[in-house]
Amino acid sequence: MARSRLTVDRLCSYFVLMESSRRFKPPWTLVRENSECYVVKDANGVTLAWLYCRDDTQRYSFGASKLSSDEARRIGKAIARIPEFLMPRQGFYPRGGGPRWRADRPYHVALEDRYIREHWDEIYALCKLNSLPFNGTGEVIESDGVWRVYEFTWQMDAILFWDRFEGRWLRGTEFHYPERPENLPSLKPLENWPKSSPRDLR
């Protein structure tokens, strides 16, 4: 049975990115190939993904199955960031224990309870804007103040959360103080929102 091009492309993309033994050198970059296509390439120029788009069909019903150029660009940027999220950062280890530790969410960051109470709306809005999936464990730690613990599946998500809100990295039941990585991606800022820092409360 003949397969559609879309189906074949999906299968090929899955094989190349998930099953291949080849390594694709970072950084990955997004390039506008032409008016109808974005391309993601690795540092050696190997093409990793094609994202086709058509802006002139969006006003018609048959255009609903097409990506707009803005949608293709945003998806392409997300694909290009895959190496950032998969690259382990030295010093930022999984917690490896603790009363609320889970193997599927091994990275834990603690924030000061007072800061959370006074800036919860900002924390929630910023994480939602940046698709940063923080989950409260319900664990409370008393160590020079009261701290509440959040868990993460991906190391990079945890690092970005730790960095922006000046949290404490957890290893076991102890606070750990790794150095801030160089070239850490910046979170998209909230518009018309004064930036706060936990340091202001100390």
Side-chain angles (χ1 to χ4, degrees):
M1 186 175 88
R3 288 180 174 143
S4 69
R5 179 177 178 179
L6 179 61
T7 303
V8 172
D9 283 349
R10 282 180 177 172
L11 289 175
C12 289
S13 297
Y14 178 83
F15 176 78
V16 169
L17 295 177
M18 303 301 293
E19 300 294 334
S20 174
S21 61
R22 293 176 62 185
R23 295 294 180 263
F24 302 99
K25 185 177 179 180
W28 295 2
T29 55
L30 180 66
V31 179
R32 184 72 182 260
E33 192 80 352
N34 53 54
S35 62
E36 296 185 357
C37 181
Y38 282 91
V39 176
V40 178
K41 296 185 178 183
D42 75 356
N44 292 323
V46 176
T47 299
L48 305 176
W50 294 265
L51 297 107
Y52 296 98
C53 54
R54 287 287 299 273
D55 285 325
D56 58 348
T57 61
Q58 298 300 308
R59 70 190 68 150
Y60 306 111
S61 59
F62 60 82
S65 61
K66 308 290 184 181
L67 293 176
S68 68
S69 59
D70 183 61
E71 290 169 337
R73 179 186 59 80
R74 287 188 283 114
I75 293 171
K77 286 182 67 176
I79 294 173
R81 292 188 66 191
I82 287 176
E84 293 178 9
F85 282 85
L86 296 184
M87 182 189 305
R89 305 284 176 147
Q90 295 300 315
F92 292 87
Y93 303 102
R95 184 176 183 182
R100 302 293 177 92
W101 181 83
R102 292 170 48 178
D104 60 334
R105 293 178 180 171
Y107 301 100
H108 285 198
V109 177
L111 296 189
E112 287 182 298
D113 179 72
R114 181 183 168 194
Y115 179 75
I116 296 170
R117 292 176 183 276
E118 295 188 13
H119 298 278
W120 171 253
D121 290 342
E122 178 188 4
I123 295 170
Y124 178 82
L126 189 64
C127 289
K128 183 175 182 180
L129 176 65
N130 289 275
S131 301
L132 202 60
F134 70 109
N135 299 279
T137 65
E139 181 181 358
V140 176
I141 296 176
E142 294 188 14
S143 176
D144 192 25
V146 179
W147 302 76
R148 296 191 179 275
V149 180
Y150 294 88
E151 61 185 4
F152 300 84
T153 297
W154 297 103
Q155 186 195 56
M156 180 56 70
D157 285 340
I159 293 174
L160 293 174
F161 186 83
W162 164 87
D163 178 63
R164 172 58 185 86
F165 300 114
E166 300 185 27
R168 295 290 181 266
W169 196 269
L170 277 168
R171 291 196 68 188
T173 58
E174 302 294 328
F175 289 158
H176 181 58
Y177 298 91
E179 293 186 10
R180 186 183 188 277
E182 295 182 4
N183 303 318
L184 192 64
S186 57
L187 294 177
K188 186 186 300 182
L190 294 169
E191 294 183 4
N192 303 318
W193 204 303
K195 183 177 179 179
S196 64
S197 168
R199 199 173 301 151
D200 299 336
L201 301 179
R202 295 173 189 160

